[in-house]
Amino acid sequence: MAPMSENATGTFDITGWDEKATEERTGAKMDRVIVGKVFQGDLTGTSTTELLSVHTEAGPAAYVALEHFEGTLHGRQGTFVLQHSAGATDGVQWLKWQIVPTSGTSELKGLRGEGQIIVGPDGGHSYTLGYELD
């Protein structure tokens, strides 16, 4: 059977922000943070993210993270892991997600794809996720 290609969209709320470590370095501040989220839309569930970020004099500069999602994707129950890559140039942010291959469980086994996080002018978060599922 051919893989099924779909797109997921929705929003999420940040429910927890626990700074674990901060290190000041010349020209940069580095943080390690655990982030909790609740998702609405085509993804429904919760996640925990471990995030490493760097801030410079110009503001947030970049972050990388691994996020473990638990819930449903278009009604299919399971878990999977997202790898984040993000940065900002001249105040313009870009945030990308990639599903970690082989991380899907239960009805999400075989899940793969990528997407992005969009931060609105009001600070709200939305997402798009293009994916394939065997």
Side-chain angles (χ1 to χ4, degrees):
M1 184 191 311
M4 173 178 45
S5 264
E6 293 195 43
N7 289 306
T9 61
T11 62
F12 65 85
D13 297 311
I14 295 175
T15 58
W17 186 272
D18 184 12
E19 290 190 30
K20 295 294 185 185
T22 297
E23 185 175 344
E24 296 285 341
R25 298 218 177 168
T26 304
K29 179 180 122 184
M30 300 173 79
D31 294 312
R32 178 174 165 245
V33 181
I34 305 297
V35 181
K37 297 178 188 172
V38 173
F39 286 81
Q40 302 88 33
D42 297 328
L43 281 171
T44 303
T46 60
S47 73
T48 301
T49 305
E50 185 157 345
L51 182 142
L52 298 172
S53 68
V54 60
H55 298 260
T56 64
E57 288 180 13
Y63 83 83
V64 294
L66 291 173
E67 178 170 4
H68 185 264
F69 173 84
E70 183 173 358
T72 62
L73 170 58
H74 279 130
R76 295 174 202 92
Q77 184 74 35
T79 67
F80 60 91
V81 176
L82 291 159
Q83 177 182 335
H84 293 235
S85 178
T89 305
D90 298 325
V92 178
Q93 292 184 344
W94 56 270
L95 301 104
K96 294 191 292 187
W97 273 347
Q98 183 164 345
I99 298 168
V100 175
T102 71
S103 69
T105 66
S106 300
E107 295 176 308
L108 300 176
K109 192 168 188 168
L111 183 67
R112 59 197 170 280
E114 59 186 39
Q116 62 182 356
I117 298 170
I118 299 102
V119 180
D122 63 353
H125 295 84
S126 61
Y127 63 84
T128 63
L129 183 65
Y131 69 92
E132 290 185 348
L133 187 58
D134 293 332

